[in-house]
Amino acid sequence: MKKIIPLLSASIVASPIFAGSITEKESEKSIDLKTETKPNIVLIYADDIGYGDLSSYGAKRVETPNTDSLAANGIRFTNAHSAAATSTPSRYGLITGEYPWRRKGTGVAAGDAALIINPERITLPKVLQEAGYTTGAVGKWHLGMGNETGKQDWNGHVTPGPSEIGFDYSYIMAATGDRVPCVFMENQRVVNLDLNDPISVSYKENFEGEPTGKDNPELLTKLRPSHGHDQSIVNGISRIGYMKGGKSALWEDENIADSITVHAVRFIEKNSDKPFFLYFGTNDIHVPRYPHERFRGATEMGHRGDAIVQFDWSVGEIVKALKKAGIFENTLIIVTSDNGPVVDDGYQDGAVEKLMDHKPWGPFRGGKYSTFEAGTRVPFIVHWPERVESKVSHALVSQIDMTATMAALAGLERLPEIPEDSQNQLSAWLGMEPAGRDYVIGSAGSLTVLTRVWKYIEPNNGRTYNPLTNTELGNNPDDQLYNMTTDRGEYDNTAEENPEIVEIMKHILEREKEKGIGLDL
Ligand code: NG6
Ligand code: CA
């Protein structure tokens, strides 16, 4: 606010655009945390779980009791945002504290992409290491590995990776469930690899004699693609990209949740006597959705619904482990998602046919890939029995603030290297301050400015609809301005009636762009 006010006329500051606004000083107000109470931090980062996918957020066709219990006993946020509407840029923003649109190369990463975070820069895990935390990353990574795209030797130590950007321990899937290589990596080495059967990966061409989903559909015993995903076949499911070898190391999709959850639990058990930070990126509910047998049929919605139940099971296992170690009370758990929901994301898994009246996007328009609200408005739950009282918060919060906010939580003075994009919003995140941010910039093709009342989407000539994923993308060659406090939300473009607000929003965006856009990594 401090920096905006001189640029705006008094009448506009008084207008509802910044309704309920607070001063920067207040929002950055430090919270007195004694070192001995330094909490453990567990971030449960779901993949593609939408605002309406959890029963605590209104879902009726699926029960998520473990997550709901965290929501009921902690803070359930209703206006929380990922940095982007897909995985890689959201994760980049979360871990660096810098808006992904400021950097080239932060779009959805291939499975053989080089590490997209410069090891020189400050990151969320490095901040926490500095504060004395042991840090671990378990589950989906999708931030690239190695120095050069396509040049990794998957049979050796792949570096740089999680350890170079601040994780003491890692047990990860290099990219996503639908991208090769389909193996787990522990501390940057493929787990269970037989060096007599080395792994080769290519995103350019197939390896001679290897079957693909396109040419050998008869080998697709578990899932068939609906669009894309017709290259190498692993575990009866075809993927994006080509791989060869590594048979003993290949994952089975039905066991991914078990495998990563077990490693997350082990990390908790091993580190329970000192402060730790666990980044737990679930594979659920990204495609290919192929939950373990014991979850199949848990809902009437097929694999997508059952994957939500499997996700909730993982949450429950983490909670159990924390309780068993006697550290549940002093652990801050955050549950959120990397982007909004998608129903058909490229496999024929029955999600479309069995959706019924379930609304993964909640009351919002759009979904994954969209600049409309459901692209980035995600569940966000903060649970910390020692410090946080049960409530619902309507504060505007963003994952971009994770780095600065966790630095404050860990008792560090604001480090100058933390990007300005990342604000210390600790008071809002702990439910002590009701407003949160003044605005947040979103990115999914077009940039957006969201305040607590208005949402502005900058003009964009991109297509308006993706028929394959059935997503309204939110692109429009005209200015779009929506009043998010009305029921009509993103269905009523009010830009023409509110030229002065459009001007302010454009001004905010210009000012943000001046700080850097499209820079090299
Ligand atoms: C898309 C994939 C989609 C998903 C997405 C990334 C196709 C046709 N679609 O390109 O399936 O993998 O990328 O999702 O290949 S994310 O949640 O990791 O960003
Ligand atoms: Ca995702």
Side-chain angles (χ1 to χ4, degrees):
M1 269 314 276
K2 222 161 53 193
K3 290 173 210 134
I4 299 164
I5 288 172
L7 304 165
L8 307 177
S9 75
S11 67
I12 281 168
V13 173
S15 88
I17 188 170
F18 292 124
S21 187
I22 42 137
T23 65
E24 191 174 287
K25 215 163 134 219
E26 267 176 308
S27 73
E28 294 256 340
K29 145 174 96 186
S30 69
I31 291 178
D32 181 31
L33 288 167
K34 296 198 186 70
T35 330
E36 59 268 26
T37 65
K38 216 178 254 182
N40 307 300
I41 302 167
V42 176
L43 172 65
I44 303 179
Y45 207 42
D47 199 348
D48 296 0
I49 283 191
Y51 189 88
D53 274 327
L54 304 173
S55 33
S56 35
Y57 279 81
K60 296 274 185 297
R61 297 266 178 197
V62 56
E63 297 277 323
T64 51
N66 297 306
T67 316
D68 296 352
S69 161
L70 297 177
N73 297 301
I75 309 170
R76 186 175 71 83
F77 287 85
T78 62
N79 199 4
H81 293 262
S82 54
T86 49
S87 155
T88 304
S90 287
R91 286 165 212 261
Y92 178 87
L94 176 90
I95 286 189
T96 64
E98 178 181 71
Y99 284 131
W101 49 268
R102 296 206 192 280
R103 299 279 162 189
K104 288 183 203 145
T106 54
V108 175
D112 66 347
L115 178 66
I116 64 160
I117 296 175
N118 183 341
E120 303 285 303
R121 66 179 307 147
I122 194 85
T123 61
L124 166 65
K126 279 191 191 168
V127 163
L128 291 171
Q129 279 179 333
E130 194 151 326
Y133 280 67
T134 301
T135 57
V138 175
K140 176 169 171 174
W141 182 243
H142 213 191
L143 290 164
M145 295 186 80
N147 271 322
E148 215 181 322
T149 297
K151 295 279 157 62
Q152 302 86 349
D153 174 6
W154 297 99
N155 306 293
H157 182 228
V158 184
T159 179
S163 75
E164 287 72 18
I165 66 154
F167 287 107
D168 298 313
Y169 172 76
S170 61
Y171 182 88
I172 58 170
M173 305 161 71
T176 62
D178 58 352
R179 285 172 174 75
V180 303
C182 300
V183 292
F184 296 112
M185 307 195 71
E186 189 165 33
N187 295 326
Q188 297 164 224
R189 284 180 192 277
V190 172
V191 179
N192 286 337
L193 179 65
D194 173 1
L195 286 174
N196 295 318
D197 178 27
I199 295 177
S200 313
V201 169
S202 168
Y203 274 71
K204 294 205 177 96
E205 52 188 1
N206 194 16
F207 299 96
E208 223 186 303
E210 294 296 312
T212 62
K214 184 159 180 266
D215 296 332
N216 308 85
E218 73 285 358
L219 298 179
L220 300 176
T221 51
K222 293 190 172 162
L223 283 176
R224 285 169 183 253
S226 58
H227 56 273
H229 303 104
D230 61 357
Q231 299 175 341
S232 280
I233 301 173
V234 175
N235 188 34
I237 301 173
S238 48
R239 320 272 165 167
I240 311 172
Y242 303 101
M243 80 174 285
K244 183 184 152 183
K247 292 240 161 1
S248 56
L250 299 176
W251 68 49
E252 291 186 342
D253 300 73
E254 49 274 54
N255 296 333
I256 292 176
D258 280 335
S259 182
I260 60 179
T261 305
V262 160
H263 285 83
V265 165
R266 271 187 212 153
F267 177 82
I268 292 170
E269 287 168 354
K270 267 201 183 146
N271 294 289
S272 60
D273 58 341
K274 48 190 189 289
F276 64 81
F277 166 53
L278 170 63
Y279 170 90
F280 181 47
T282 71
N283 171 55
D284 291 316
I285 59 167
H286 197 276
V287 297
R289 306 175 189 118
Y290 201 72
H292 191 270
E293 239 184 334
R294 67 188 192 277
F295 299 106
R296 269 180 251 158
T299 69
E300 287 172 21
M301 293 192 288
H303 288 333
R304 188 177 185 281
D306 298 349
I308 298 175
V309 175
Q310 182 168 266
F311 165 80
D312 187 64
W313 168 83
S314 294
V315 173
E317 291 303 295
I318 300 284
V319 166
K320 260 196 233 163
L322 293 168
K323 285 186 175 163
K324 200 168 150 212
I327 53 176
F328 185 61
E329 299 294 311
N330 194 32
T331 297
L332 174 90
I333 305 177
I334 298 175
V335 184
T336 186
S337 183
D338 67 339
N339 52 252
V342 55
V343 182
D344 179 351
D345 207 14
Y347 289 94
Q348 302 174 40
D349 60 6
V352 174
E353 298 79 351
K354 297 179 181 165
L355 191 63
M356 299 180 283
D357 55 355
H358 177 65
K359 292 195 169 52
W361 40 82
F364 303 107
R365 201 170 169 183
K368 180 177 181 178
Y369 310 113
S370 178
T371 47
F372 281 142
E373 197 63 1
T376 60
R377 173 110 52 145
V378 285
F380 193 86
I381 296 163
V382 172
H383 183 273
W384 181 13
E386 264 182 20
R387 290 296 297 243
V388 152
E389 282 165 22
S390 140
K391 69 168 71 155
V392 173
S393 170
H394 306 299
L396 177 60
V397 295
S398 168
Q399 294 168 9
I400 201 75
D401 297 329
M402 184 85 188
T403 301
T405 301
M406 292 302 108
L409 178 79
L412 295 179
E413 291 295 310
R414 185 171 177 109
L415 304 173
E417 307 93 320
I418 297 178
E420 214 185 296
D421 296 340
S422 191
Q423 301 176 355
N424 169 11
Q425 287 285 340
L426 190 57
S427 10
W429 286 35
L430 297 185
M432 296 155 66
E433 192 280 302
R437 283 183 153 254
D438 292 324
Y439 67 84
V440 65
I441 310 295
S443 53
S446 318
L447 297 183
T448 61
V449 183
L450 179 72
T451 72
R452 286 185 292 281
V453 177
W454 298 101
K455 174 158 174 182
Y456 170 75
I457 306 179
E458 71 173 352
N460 186 305
N461 288 320
R463 60 185 177 159
T464 54
Y465 179 67
N466 179 349
L468 297 174
T469 56
N470 188 18
T471 312
E472 288 188 292
L473 296 168
N475 298 321
N476 190 318
D478 299 321
D479 287 316
Q480 296 176 79
L481 180 75
Y482 299 106
N483 184 333
M484 300 304 291
T485 66
T486 69
D487 288 345
R488 296 282 305 154
E490 283 174 305
Y491 288 95
D492 261 349
N493 185 357
T494 65
E496 276 182 21
E497 293 108 277
N498 295 295
E500 73 292 353
I501 299 195
V502 169
E503 277 317 301
I504 297 172
M505 299 302 234
K506 283 186 167 169
H507 185 83
I508 291 175
L509 213 43
E510 280 319 306
R511 239 179 25 124
E512 286 291 349
K513 287 183 188 171
E514 277 165 20
K515 295 184 209 160
I517 180 166
L519 307 171
D520 287 331
L521 277 174

